[in-house]
Amino acid sequence: MVPEETSRLLDDDLLPLVAEAHQLAGRLHPILRDSIGDLVRSMNCYYSNLIEGHDTHPRDIDRALANDFSTEPRKRDLQKKAVAHIHVQRLIDTGRDPDAWPASATYASWLHKAFCSQLPPEMLFVTDEKTGKQLEIVPGEWRKRDVQVGQHIPPPHEDLPRSMSRFDAAYGSPPLTKLRQLQTVGAVHHRLLWIHPFLDGNGRVARLMSHALFKRLEVGTSLWPVARDLARDEARYKALLANADRPRQGDLDGRGNLTQRGLIEFSKFFLDRSVDQIRFMSGLLEPATLLTRIELHIEEEVRAKRLHRGSFAVLREAVMRGEVERSQIPLLTGYTDRGARNVTAGLVERGMLTTVTHRAPLRLAFPVDVAERWFPNLYPANAGSRI
């Protein structure tokens, strides 16, 4: 269940994981971090969908968040799943998840129930591939039948209480140290998928659990999702998962029933992908380069008369201070009150600024077309091509 303490392969990733995650979190104004968190949750949902074989276009996710759903049934169902995924991750990111330790049976059940509760009843069914029978998904409850996932045969359903009890005993907060818990995040991810406690939704639960576990260990934030790098190296991700499913390979391969070597290899891959994603987001969010990309984009929009001059000064203030007081916009733009209101209206209409009320300060927002310019390579060039 837990990688051997003597494995130095995992130690090499811990220092950059902790140091660079903390550096990324401290780079931005807290209010701006919250705004970027909305964008990252949508991105994480997109890549989690991709791992499940669903290439939901980022614009369709944006529309769903605005309660604008497709009339095409399959696309609408994927949009609803996206909204549910983002809802649960927002609860985690804002500290509104349970106090239970993320790597636990209780937390896994909560994740599954919280996700499924956002879906209409007609979506809580799966089709048995052998019989064609519709099987009901009960939110938060362990499966009541045996299943097969590709070549993997998870534990029989009657063994799930014992399997999840073992999961709790291995990964509960004590007695593992914080560094050992960080080493073990990949193992938690694999072992939950190996147990496959739910009839459907295990992949989403495992990825959300990993996100919550990193956050509880004070490494994860709303600024980076590991799902992006897992999806970008999906073939290796799934191959290493399958390799860790294998039985023990001789006396030197750990002491349990499953391969220790395979578990360590997957855990290292998981930590490697996490560090890589932190570095990718650090490069995108470095304030000076971010402002340069925003300025170049806004200059084009001003020349095309889609935005007013002075728009960049307002956005720069939002980047540096997290938000912009409306009373400061005339000073920032050099316009009278009326001209400043035109600048503000243009930015709000384009979705670059958002506000709770017409008097509240303005904060940055990131609709998909803007995100593609300000944060290059956030999504693949052919995003949504499978639909």
Side-chain angles (χ1 to χ4, degrees), residues 15-28:
L15 182 60
L17 178 72
V18 174
E20 295 182 36
H22 288 169
Q23 185 180 37
L24 172 60
R27 180 168 288 174
L28 301 172

Side-chain angles (χ1 to χ4, degrees), residues 254-321:
R255 293 169 295 185
N257 293 327
L258 300 181
T259 168
Q260 178 79 196
R261 190 176 298 113
L263 184 65
I264 290 171
E265 288 175 352
F266 178 77
S267 296
K268 177 171 175 53
F269 168 78
F270 202 89
L271 291 176
D272 283 345
R273 296 301 88 200
S274 299
V275 172
D276 188 71
Q277 186 58 25
I278 291 169
R279 289 173 176 168
F280 170 75
M281 292 304 296
S282 293
L284 283 186
L285 298 177
E286 200 285 317
T289 55
L290 173 59
L291 283 171
T292 297
R293 290 193 298 269
I294 294 174
E295 185 175 18
L296 291 172
H297 180 217
I298 298 306
E299 285 178 355
E300 293 178 13
E301 297 301 296
V302 170
R303 285 197 298 269
K305 302 188 183 303
R306 290 188 289 265
L307 287 174
H308 296 277
R309 292 194 179 277
S311 295
F312 174 68
V314 178
L315 296 175
R316 180 178 57 201
E317 182 79 357
V319 170
M320 301 308 296
R321 298 185 181 276

Side-chain angles (χ1 to χ4, degrees), residues 38 40 56 98 115 153 189 197 233 296-297 342:
D38 291 334
V40 171
T56 313
F115 175 78
I153 300 177
H189 187 87
D233 204 353
L296 291 172
H297 180 217
N342 290 335

